[in-house]
Coordinates of all heavy atoms in Angstrom, one line a residue:
S1 N -79.2 -4.7 -127.2 CA -79.5 -3.5 -128.1 C -79.4 -4.0 -129.6 O -79.0 -5.1 -129.9 CB -78.5 -2.4 -127.9 OG -77.2 -2.8 -128.3
F2 N -80.0 -3.2 -130.4 CA -80.0 -3.5 -131.9 C -80.0 -2.1 -132.6 O -80.1 -1.1 -132.0 CB -81.2 -4.3 -132.3 CG -82.5 -3.7 -131.9 CD1 -83.2 -2.9 -132.8 CD2 -83.0 -4.0 -130.6 CE1 -84.4 -2.4 -132.4 CE2 -84.3 -3.4 -130.3 CZ -85.0 -2.6 -131.2
E3 N -79.7 -2.2 -133.9 CA -79.7 -1.0 -134.7 C -81.0 -0.8 -135.5 O -81.5 -1.8 -136.0 CB -78.5 -1.1 -135.7 CG -77.1 -1.1 -135.1 CD -76.7 0.2 -134.6 OE1 -76.8 1.2 -135.3 OE2 -76.1 0.2 -133.5
V4 N -81.4 0.4 -135.6 CA -82.5 0.7 -136.5 C -82.0 1.6 -137.6 O -81.4 2.6 -137.3 CB -83.7 1.3 -135.8 CG1 -84.7 2.0 -136.8 CG2 -84.4 0.3 -135.0
K5 N -82.2 1.2 -138.8 CA -81.8 2.0 -140.0 C -83.0 2.6 -140.7 O -84.0 1.9 -140.9 CB -80.9 1.2 -140.9 CG -80.3 2.0 -142.1 CD -79.4 1.1 -142.9 CE -78.8 1.9 -144.1 NZ -77.9 1.1 -144.9
I6 N -82.9 3.9 -141.0 CA -84.0 4.6 -141.6 C -83.7 4.6 -143.1 O -82.7 5.1 -143.6 CB -84.0 6.1 -141.2 CG1 -84.2 6.1 -139.6 CG2 -85.2 6.8 -141.9 CD1 -85.4 5.3 -139.1
A7 N -84.6 3.9 -143.9 CA -84.3 3.7 -145.3 C -84.2 5.1 -146.1 O -83.3 5.2 -147.0 CB -85.4 2.9 -146.0
S8 N -84.9 6.1 -145.8 CA -84.9 7.3 -146.6 C -83.6 8.1 -146.4 O -83.2 8.8 -147.3 CB -86.1 8.2 -146.2 OG -86.0 8.6 -144.8
T9 N -83.0 8.0 -145.3 CA -81.8 8.8 -145.0 C -80.5 7.9 -144.9 O -79.4 8.4 -145.0 CB -81.9 9.6 -143.7 OG1 -82.1 8.6 -142.6 CG2 -83.1 10.5 -143.7
G10 N -80.7 6.6 -144.7 CA -79.6 5.7 -144.5 C -79.0 5.8 -143.1 O -78.0 5.2 -142.8
K11 N -79.6 6.6 -142.2 CA -79.0 6.8 -140.9 C -79.4 5.6 -140.0 O -80.5 5.1 -140.1 CB -79.5 8.1 -140.3 CG -78.9 9.3 -140.9 CD -79.2 10.6 -140.1 CE -78.5 11.8 -140.7 NZ -79.0 13.1 -140.1
S12 N -78.5 5.2 -139.1 CA -78.7 4.2 -138.2 C -78.6 4.7 -136.7 O -77.8 5.6 -136.4 CB -77.7 3.1 -138.3 OG -77.8 2.4 -139.6
F13 N -79.5 4.1 -135.9 CA -79.5 4.5 -134.5 C -79.5 3.2 -133.6 O -80.1 2.2 -134.0 CB -80.7 5.3 -134.2 CG -80.9 6.5 -135.1 CD1 -81.8 6.5 -136.1 CD2 -80.0 7.6 -135.0 CE1 -82.0 7.6 -136.9 CE2 -80.1 8.7 -135.8 CZ -81.1 8.7 -136.8
T14 N -78.8 3.3 -132.5 CA -78.8 2.1 -131.6 C -80.0 2.3 -130.6 O -80.2 3.3 -130.0 CB -77.5 2.1 -130.7 OG1 -76.4 2.0 -131.7 CG2 -77.5 1.0 -129.8
V15 N -80.7 1.2 -130.5 CA -81.9 1.1 -129.5 C -81.5 0.3 -128.3 O -81.3 -0.9 -128.4 CB -83.1 0.5 -130.2 CG1 -84.3 0.5 -129.2 CG2 -83.5 1.2 -131.5
P16 N -81.2 0.9 -127.2 CA -80.8 0.2 -126.0 C -82.0 -0.5 -125.4 O -83.1 -0.2 -125.7 CB -80.2 1.3 -125.1 CG -81.0 2.5 -125.5 CD -81.3 2.4 -127.0
A17 N -81.7 -1.4 -124.4 CA -82.8 -2.2 -123.8 C -83.8 -1.4 -123.1 O -85.0 -1.8 -123.0 CB -82.1 -3.2 -122.9
D18 N -83.5 -0.2 -122.6 CA -84.4 0.6 -121.8 C -85.2 1.6 -122.6 O -85.8 2.5 -122.0 CB -83.7 1.2 -120.6 CG -82.6 2.2 -121.1 OD1 -82.2 2.1 -122.3 OD2 -82.2 3.0 -120.3
K19 N -85.1 1.6 -123.9 CA -85.8 2.6 -124.7 C -86.5 1.9 -125.9 O -86.1 0.9 -126.4 CB -84.8 3.6 -125.3 CG -84.3 4.6 -124.3 CD -83.5 5.7 -124.9 CE -83.1 6.7 -123.8 NZ -82.1 7.6 -124.3
S20 N -87.6 2.5 -126.3 CA -88.4 1.9 -127.4 C -87.8 2.5 -128.7 O -87.0 3.5 -128.7 CB -89.8 2.3 -127.4 OG -90.0 3.7 -127.5
I21 N -88.1 1.9 -129.8 CA -87.6 2.4 -131.1 C -88.1 3.8 -131.4 O -87.4 4.7 -131.8 CB -88.1 1.4 -132.3 CG1 -87.5 0.1 -132.2 CG2 -87.8 2.1 -133.7 CD1 -88.0 -1.0 -133.2
T22 N -89.4 4.0 -131.1 CA -89.9 5.4 -131.3 C -89.3 6.4 -130.4 O -89.1 7.6 -130.8 CB -91.5 5.4 -131.2 OG1 -91.9 4.7 -130.0 CG2 -92.2 4.8 -132.4
Q23 N -88.9 6.1 -129.2 CA -88.2 7.0 -128.3 C -86.9 7.4 -128.9 O -86.5 8.6 -129.0 CB -87.9 6.3 -127.0 CG -89.0 6.5 -125.9 CD -88.6 5.8 -124.6 OE1 -88.1 4.7 -124.6 NE2 -89.0 6.4 -123.5
V24 N -86.1 6.4 -129.4 CA -84.8 6.6 -130.0 C -84.9 7.5 -131.2 O -84.2 8.4 -131.4 CB -84.1 5.3 -130.2 CG1 -82.8 5.6 -131.1 CG2 -83.7 4.6 -128.9
L25 N -85.9 7.2 -132.1 CA -86.1 7.9 -133.3 C -86.5 9.4 -133.0 O -85.9 10.3 -133.6 CB -87.2 7.3 -134.2 CG -86.8 5.9 -134.8 CD1 -87.9 5.4 -135.7 CD2 -85.5 6.0 -135.5
D26 N -87.4 9.5 -132.0 CA -87.8 10.9 -131.7 C -86.6 11.7 -131.2 O -86.5 12.9 -131.5 CB -88.9 10.8 -130.6 CG -89.6 12.1 -130.3 OD1 -90.1 12.7 -131.3 OD2 -89.5 12.6 -129.2
E27 N -85.8 11.1 -130.4 CA -84.6 11.8 -129.8 C -83.6 12.2 -130.9 O -82.8 13.1 -130.8 CB -83.8 10.9 -128.9 CG -84.5 10.7 -127.5 CD -83.8 9.6 -126.7 OE1 -82.8 9.1 -127.1 OE2 -84.4 9.3 -125.6
N28 N -83.7 11.5 -132.1 CA -82.9 11.9 -133.2 C -83.6 12.6 -134.3 O -83.1 12.6 -135.5 CB -82.2 10.6 -133.7 CG -81.2 10.0 -132.8 OD1 -80.1 10.5 -132.7 ND2 -81.5 9.0 -132.0
G29 N -84.8 13.1 -134.0 CA -85.5 14.0 -135.0 C -86.2 13.2 -136.1 O -86.6 13.8 -137.1
V30 N -86.5 11.9 -135.8 CA -87.3 11.2 -136.8 C -88.6 10.9 -136.2 O -88.8 10.2 -135.2 CB -86.6 9.8 -137.1 CG1 -87.4 9.0 -138.1 CG2 -85.2 10.0 -137.6
F31 N -89.6 11.6 -136.7 CA -91.0 11.5 -136.1 C -91.8 10.4 -136.6 O -92.1 10.3 -137.8 CB -91.7 12.9 -136.3 CG -93.0 12.9 -135.7 CD1 -93.2 12.9 -134.4 CD2 -94.2 12.9 -136.5 CE1 -94.5 12.9 -133.8 CE2 -95.4 13.0 -136.0 CZ -95.6 13.0 -134.6
V32 N -92.3 9.5 -135.7 CA -93.2 8.5 -136.1 C -94.4 8.8 -135.2 O -94.3 8.8 -133.9 CB -92.7 7.1 -135.8 CG1 -93.8 6.0 -136.0 CG2 -91.5 6.8 -136.6
P33 N -95.6 9.0 -135.8 CA -96.8 9.2 -134.9 C -97.1 8.1 -134.0 O -97.1 6.9 -134.5 CB -97.9 9.5 -135.9 CG -97.4 9.0 -137.2 CD -95.9 9.0 -137.2
V34 N -97.4 8.3 -132.7 CA -97.8 7.3 -131.8 C -99.1 7.8 -131.1 O -99.4 8.9 -131.0 CB -96.7 7.0 -130.7 CG1 -95.5 6.4 -131.4 CG2 -96.4 8.2 -129.9
S35 N -99.8 6.8 -130.5 CA -100.9 7.1 -129.7 C -100.9 6.3 -128.4 O -100.6 6.8 -127.4 CB -102.2 6.8 -130.5 OG -103.3 7.1 -129.7
C36 N -101.2 5.0 -128.5 CA -101.3 4.2 -127.3 C -99.9 3.8 -126.7 O -99.8 3.7 -125.5 CB -102.0 2.9 -127.6 SG -101.1 1.7 -128.6
E37 N -98.9 3.7 -127.6 CA -97.6 3.3 -127.2 C -97.6 1.9 -126.4 O -96.7 1.6 -125.7 CB -96.9 4.4 -126.4 CG -96.7 5.6 -127.2 CD -95.8 6.7 -126.5 OE1 -94.6 6.4 -126.4 OE2 -96.4 7.7 -126.1
E38 N -98.6 1.1 -126.7 CA -98.7 -0.2 -126.0 C -99.0 -1.3 -127.0 O -99.3 -2.4 -126.6 CB -99.8 -0.2 -125.0 CG -99.5 0.7 -123.8 CD -100.6 0.7 -122.7 OE1 -101.8 0.2 -123.1 OE2 -100.4 1.2 -121.6
G39 N -99.0 -1.0 -128.3 CA -99.2 -2.0 -129.3 C -100.6 -2.4 -129.6 O -100.9 -3.5 -130.1
V40 N -101.6 -1.5 -129.2 CA -103.0 -1.9 -129.5 C -103.6 -1.1 -130.6 O -104.6 -1.6 -131.2 CB -103.8 -1.8 -128.2 CG1 -103.4 -2.8 -127.2 CG2 -103.9 -0.4 -127.6
C41 N -103.1 0.1 -130.9 CA -103.9 1.0 -131.8 C -103.4 0.9 -133.3 O -104.2 1.2 -134.2 CB -103.9 2.4 -131.3 SG -102.3 3.2 -131.6
G42 N -102.2 0.6 -133.5 CA -101.7 0.5 -134.9 C -101.2 1.9 -135.5 O -100.8 1.9 -136.6
T43 N -101.3 3.0 -134.7 CA -101.0 4.3 -135.2 C -99.5 4.4 -135.7 O -99.2 5.0 -136.7 CB -101.2 5.3 -134.1 OG1 -102.5 5.3 -133.7 CG2 -100.8 6.7 -134.5
C44 N -98.6 3.7 -135.0 CA -97.2 3.8 -135.3 C -96.7 2.8 -136.4 O -95.5 2.8 -136.7 CB -96.4 3.5 -134.0 SG -96.6 1.8 -133.4
L45 N -97.6 2.0 -136.9 CA -97.2 1.0 -137.9 C -96.3 1.4 -139.0 O -96.5 2.4 -139.6 CB -98.5 0.4 -138.5 CG -98.4 -1.0 -139.1 CD1 -98.2 -2.0 -138.0 CD2 -99.7 -1.3 -139.8
V46 N -95.2 0.7 -139.1 CA -94.2 1.0 -140.2 C -93.9 -0.3 -141.0 O -94.0 -1.4 -140.4 CB -92.9 1.6 -139.7 CG1 -93.2 3.0 -139.1 CG2 -92.2 0.7 -138.7
R47 N -93.5 -0.1 -142.2 CA -93.0 -1.3 -143.0 C -91.6 -1.6 -142.7 O -90.8 -0.7 -142.5 CB -93.2 -1.0 -144.5 CG -94.7 -0.7 -144.8 CD -95.0 -1.0 -146.3 NE -94.8 -2.4 -146.6 CZ -95.7 -3.4 -146.4 NH1 -96.8 -3.1 -145.8 NH2 -95.4 -4.6 -146.8
V48 N -91.3 -2.9 -142.6 CA -90.0 -3.4 -142.4 C -89.4 -3.9 -143.7 O -90.0 -4.7 -144.4 CB -90.0 -4.6 -141.4 CG1 -88.6 -5.1 -141.1 CG2 -90.6 -4.1 -140.0
L49 N -88.2 -3.3 -144.1 CA -87.6 -3.7 -145.3 C -86.6 -4.8 -145.2 O -86.4 -5.6 -146.1 CB -87.0 -2.4 -146.0 CG -87.9 -1.3 -146.2 CD1 -87.2 -0.1 -146.8 CD2 -89.0 -1.7 -147.2
E50 N -85.9 -4.8 -144.0 CA -84.9 -5.8 -143.8 C -84.9 -6.1 -142.3 O -85.2 -5.2 -141.5 CB -83.5 -5.4 -144.2 CG -83.2 -5.4 -145.6 CD -81.8 -4.9 -145.9 OE1 -80.9 -5.2 -145.2 OE2 -81.7 -4.1 -146.9
G51 N -84.5 -7.3 -141.9 CA -84.4 -7.7 -140.5 C -85.7 -8.4 -140.0 O -86.7 -8.5 -140.8
E52 N -85.6 -8.9 -138.8 CA -86.7 -9.7 -138.2 C -87.2 -9.0 -137.0 O -86.5 -9.0 -135.9 CB -86.3 -11.1 -138.0 CG -87.4 -12.0 -137.5 CD -86.9 -13.4 -137.2 OE1 -85.8 -13.7 -137.5 OE2 -87.8 -14.2 -136.8
P53 N -88.4 -8.4 -137.0 CA -88.9 -7.8 -135.8 C -89.3 -8.8 -134.7 O -89.6 -10.0 -135.0 CB -90.2 -7.1 -136.2 CG -90.3 -7.2 -137.7 CD -89.3 -8.3 -138.1
E54 N -89.2 -8.4 -133.5 CA -89.7 -9.1 -132.3 C -91.0 -8.5 -131.9 O -91.0 -7.5 -131.2 CB -88.7 -9.1 -131.2 CG -89.1 -9.9 -129.9 CD -88.1 -9.7 -128.8 OE1 -86.9 -9.7 -129.0 OE2 -88.6 -9.4 -127.7
H55 N -92.1 -9.0 -132.4 CA -93.4 -8.4 -132.3 C -93.9 -8.4 -130.9 O -94.0 -9.5 -130.3 CB -94.4 -9.1 -133.2 CG -94.1 -8.9 -134.7 ND1 -94.2 -7.8 -135.4 CD2 -93.6 -9.9 -135.6 CE1 -93.8 -8.0 -136.6 NE2 -93.5 -9.2 -136.8
R56 N -94.3 -7.3 -130.3 CA -94.8 -7.3 -129.0 C -96.2 -6.6 -128.9 O -96.7 -6.2 -127.9 CB -93.9 -6.5 -128.0 CG -92.6 -7.3 -127.8 CD -91.7 -6.7 -126.7 NE -90.5 -7.4 -126.6 CZ -89.5 -7.1 -125.7 NH1 -89.7 -6.0 -124.9 NH2 -88.5 -7.8 -125.6
D57 N -96.8 -6.5 -130.1 CA -98.1 -5.8 -130.2 C -99.2 -6.8 -130.2 O -99.0 -8.0 -130.4 CB -98.2 -4.9 -131.5 CG -98.1 -5.8 -132.7 OD1 -97.0 -6.3 -133.1 OD2 -99.2 -6.2 -133.2
L58 N -100.4 -6.2 -130.0 CA -101.7 -7.0 -130.0 C -102.5 -6.6 -131.2 O -103.6 -6.9 -131.4 CB -102.5 -6.8 -128.8 CG -101.8 -7.2 -127.5 CD1 -102.6 -6.7 -126.3 CD2 -101.6 -8.7 -127.4
Y59 N -101.9 -5.7 -132.1 CA -102.6 -5.1 -133.2 C -102.6 -6.0 -134.4 O -103.6 -6.2 -135.1 CB -102.0 -3.7 -133.5 CG -102.7 -3.0 -134.6 CD1 -103.9 -2.4 -134.5 CD2 -102.0 -3.0 -135.9 CE1 -104.5 -1.8 -135.6 CE2 -102.6 -2.3 -137.0 CZ -103.9 -1.8 -136.8 OH -104.4 -1.1 -137.9
L60 N -101.4 -6.5 -134.8 CA -101.3 -7.3 -136.0 C -101.8 -8.7 -135.7 O -101.7 -9.2 -134.6 CB -99.8 -7.3 -136.5 CG -99.2 -6.0 -136.9 CD1 -97.7 -6.1 -137.1 CD2 -99.9 -5.5 -138.2
T61 N -102.2 -9.4 -136.8 CA -102.6 -10.8 -136.7 C -101.4 -11.7 -136.6 O -100.3 -11.2 -137.0 CB -103.5 -11.2 -137.9 OG1 -102.7 -11.2 -139.0 CG2 -104.7 -10.3 -138.0
D62 N -101.6 -12.9 -136.2 CA -100.5 -13.9 -136.2 C -99.8 -14.0 -137.6 O -98.6 -14.1 -137.8 CB -101.0 -15.3 -135.8 CG -101.3 -15.3 -134.3 OD1 -100.9 -14.4 -133.6 OD2 -101.9 -16.3 -133.9
A63 N -100.7 -14.0 -138.7 CA -100.2 -14.1 -140.0 C -99.3 -12.9 -140.4 O -98.3 -13.0 -141.1 CB -101.3 -14.3 -141.0
E64 N -99.8 -11.7 -140.0 CA -99.1 -10.5 -140.2 C -97.7 -10.5 -139.5 O -96.7 -10.0 -140.0 CB -99.9 -9.3 -139.9 CG -101.0 -9.0 -140.9 CD -102.0 -8.0 -140.4 OE1 -102.2 -7.8 -139.2 OE2 -102.7 -7.4 -141.3
H65 N -97.8 -11.0 -138.2 CA -96.5 -11.1 -137.5 C -95.5 -12.0 -138.2 O -94.4 -11.7 -138.4 CB -96.8 -11.7 -136.1 CG -97.4 -10.7 -135.1 ND1 -98.0 -11.1 -134.0 CD2 -97.4 -9.4 -135.1 CE1 -98.4 -10.0 -133.3 NE2 -98.0 -9.0 -134.0
A66 N -96.0 -13.1 -138.7 CA -95.2 -14.1 -139.4 C -94.6 -13.5 -140.7 O -93.5 -13.9 -141.1 CB -96.0 -15.4 -139.7
A67 N -95.3 -12.7 -141.3 CA -94.8 -12.1 -142.6 C -93.6 -11.2 -142.3 O -92.8 -11.0 -143.2 CB -95.9 -11.3 -143.3
N68 N -93.5 -10.6 -141.1 CA -92.3 -9.8 -140.8 C -92.1 -8.6 -141.7 O -90.9 -8.2 -141.8 CB -91.1 -10.6 -140.7 CG -91.0 -11.4 -139.3 OD1 -91.6 -11.0 -138.4 ND2 -90.3 -12.5 -139.3
D69 N -93.1 -8.1 -142.4 CA -92.9 -6.9 -143.2 C -93.5 -5.6 -142.7 O -93.5 -4.6 -143.4 CB -93.4 -7.2 -144.7 CG -94.9 -7.5 -144.7 OD1 -95.5 -7.6 -143.7 OD2 -95.4 -7.7 -145.8
Q70 N -94.0 -5.7 -141.5 CA -94.5 -4.5 -140.8 C -94.4 -4.7 -139.3 O -94.4 -5.8 -138.9 CB -95.9 -4.1 -141.3 CG -96.9 -5.2 -141.1 CD -98.3 -4.8 -141.7 OE1 -98.6 -3.7 -141.8 NE2 -99.1 -5.8 -142.0
M71 N -94.4 -3.6 -138.6 CA -94.2 -3.7 -137.1 C -94.7 -2.5 -136.4 O -94.9 -1.4 -137.1 CB -92.8 -4.0 -136.7 CG -91.9 -2.7 -136.9 SD -90.2 -3.0 -136.5 CE -90.3 -3.5 -134.8
T72 N -94.9 -2.6 -135.1 CA -95.3 -1.4 -134.3 C -94.1 -1.0 -133.5 O -93.8 -1.6 -132.5 CB -96.4 -1.8 -133.4 OG1 -96.0 -2.9 -132.6 CG2 -97.7 -2.1 -134.1
P73 N -93.4 0.1 -133.9 CA -92.1 0.5 -133.3 C -92.3 1.1 -131.9 O -91.3 1.4 -131.2 CB -91.5 1.4 -134.3 CG -92.6 2.0 -135.0 CD -93.6 0.9 -135.1
C74 N -93.5 1.3 -131.4 CA -93.7 1.9 -130.1 C -93.4 0.9 -129.0 O -93.0 1.2 -127.9 CB -95.2 2.3 -129.9 SG -96.4 1.0 -129.9
C75 N -93.5 -0.4 -129.3 CA -93.3 -1.4 -128.3 C -92.5 -2.7 -128.8 O -92.0 -3.4 -128.0 CB -94.6 -1.9 -127.7 SG -95.7 -2.5 -129.0
S76 N -92.6 -2.9 -130.1 CA -91.9 -4.1 -130.6 C -90.4 -3.8 -130.8 O -90.0 -2.7 -130.8 CB -92.5 -4.5 -132.0 OG -93.8 -4.9 -131.8
R77 N -89.6 -4.9 -130.9 CA -88.2 -4.8 -130.9 C -87.6 -5.6 -132.0 O -88.3 -5.8 -133.0 CB -87.6 -5.2 -129.5 CG -88.3 -4.4 -128.4 CD -87.6 -4.5 -127.1 NE -86.3 -3.9 -127.1 CZ -86.0 -2.6 -126.9 NH1 -87.0 -1.7 -126.7 NH2 -84.8 -2.2 -126.9
S78 N -86.4 -6.0 -131.9 CA -85.8 -6.7 -133.0 C -85.1 -8.0 -132.6 O -84.4 -8.1 -131.6 CB -84.7 -5.8 -133.7 OG -84.2 -6.5 -134.9
K79 N -85.3 -9.1 -133.4 CA -84.6 -10.3 -133.2 C -83.2 -10.3 -134.0 O -82.3 -11.0 -133.6 CB -85.4 -11.5 -133.7 CG -86.6 -11.8 -132.9 CD -87.3 -13.0 -133.4 CE -88.5 -13.4 -132.6 NZ -89.4 -14.3 -133.3
S80 N -83.2 -9.5 -135.0 CA -81.9 -9.4 -135.8 C -81.1 -8.2 -135.3 O -81.6 -7.3 -134.7 CB -82.3 -9.3 -137.3 OG -83.1 -8.2 -137.5
P81 N -79.8 -8.2 -135.6 CA -79.0 -7.1 -135.2 C -79.4 -5.7 -135.8 O -79.1 -4.7 -135.2 CB -77.6 -7.5 -135.6 CG -77.6 -8.9 -136.0 CD -79.0 -9.2 -136.3
V82 N -80.0 -5.8 -137.0 CA -80.3 -4.5 -137.7 C -81.8 -4.7 -138.2 O -82.1 -5.7 -138.8 CB -79.4 -4.2 -138.9 CG1 -79.8 -2.9 -139.6 CG2 -77.9 -4.1 -138.4
L83 N -82.5 -3.6 -138.1 CA -83.9 -3.5 -138.7 C -83.8 -2.3 -139.6 O -83.4 -1.3 -139.2 CB -84.9 -3.2 -137.7 CG -85.6 -4.3 -136.9 CD1 -86.7 -3.6 -136.0 CD2 -86.2 -5.4 -137.7
V84 N -84.2 -2.5 -140.9 CA -84.3 -1.4 -141.8 C -85.8 -1.1 -141.9 O -86.6 -1.9 -142.3 CB -83.7 -1.7 -143.2 CG1 -83.8 -0.5 -144.1 CG2 -82.3 -2.1 -143.0
L85 N -86.2 0.2 -141.6 CA -87.6 0.6 -141.6 C -87.8 1.5 -142.7 O -87.0 2.4 -143.1 CB -87.9 1.3 -140.3 CG -87.7 0.5 -139.0 CD1 -88.2 1.3 -137.8 CD2 -88.5 -0.9 -139.1
D86 N -89.0 1.4 -143.3 CA -89.4 2.2 -144.5 C -90.0 3.6 -144.0 O -91.2 3.8 -144.1 CB -90.4 1.5 -145.3 CG -90.8 2.1 -146.6 OD1 -90.0 3.0 -147.0 OD2 -91.8 1.8 -147.3
I87 N -89.1 4.4 -143.5 CA -89.5 5.7 -143.0 C -88.7 6.7 -143.7 O -87.5 6.5 -144.0 CB -89.1 5.8 -141.5 CG1 -89.9 4.8 -140.6 CG2 -89.5 7.2 -140.9 CD1 -89.5 4.8 -139.2
Ligands
FES1 FE1 -100.4 2.3 -130.7 FE2 -97.9 1.8 -131.5 S1 -98.8 3.7 -130.8 S2 -99.6 0.5 -131.5

């Protein structure tokens, strides 16, 4: 598991292995629009302020993945213990 911190509120949530970031946020009243939930459409794209995403989408390019400043929280996860998202 890892923590996701919401920059606008400073609140952190634990994302367990069996849930997506967007599932956990939704359960806690933080709405991120989703569509495909499979990493292909880019609807859920958010900016990453801190931490290193584990990209699992097919939407961003390799260069965008390497920059680590945005991610698709419907399917991607985290390599670092904490991700701070610009939400
Ligand atoms: Fe389609 Fe996340 S909802 S990429």
Side-chain angles (χ1 to χ4, degrees):
S1 68
F2 55 93
E3 298 283 316
V4 166
K5 184 172 177 179
I6 303 306
S8 62
T9 62
K11 288 190 179 170
S12 293
F13 307 106
T14 300
V15 181
D18 63 343
K19 287 186 179 170
S20 68
I21 295 174
T22 46
Q23 273 179 320
V24 169
L25 293 182
D26 190 57
E27 286 172 8
N28 288 282
V30 181
F31 180 68
V32 176
V34 295
S35 180
C36 72
E37 299 190 68
E38 292 180 346
V40 297
C41 74
T43 300
C44 65
L45 200 65
V46 295
R47 300 205 59 83
V48 177
L49 301 178
E50 283 178 44
E52 187 180 354
E54 181 184 314
H55 297 289
R56 294 191 179 176
D57 64 280
L58 302 169
Y59 178 76
L60 296 171
T61 64
D62 289 348
E64 287 169 333
H65 284 159
N68 281 335
D69 60 356
Q70 53 186 336
M71 73 181 301
T72 56
C74 68
C75 58
S76 294
R77 305 193 65 82
S78 186
K79 288 181 181 170
S80 54
V82 180
L83 275 183
V84 181
L85 300 182
D86 188 15
I87 299 175

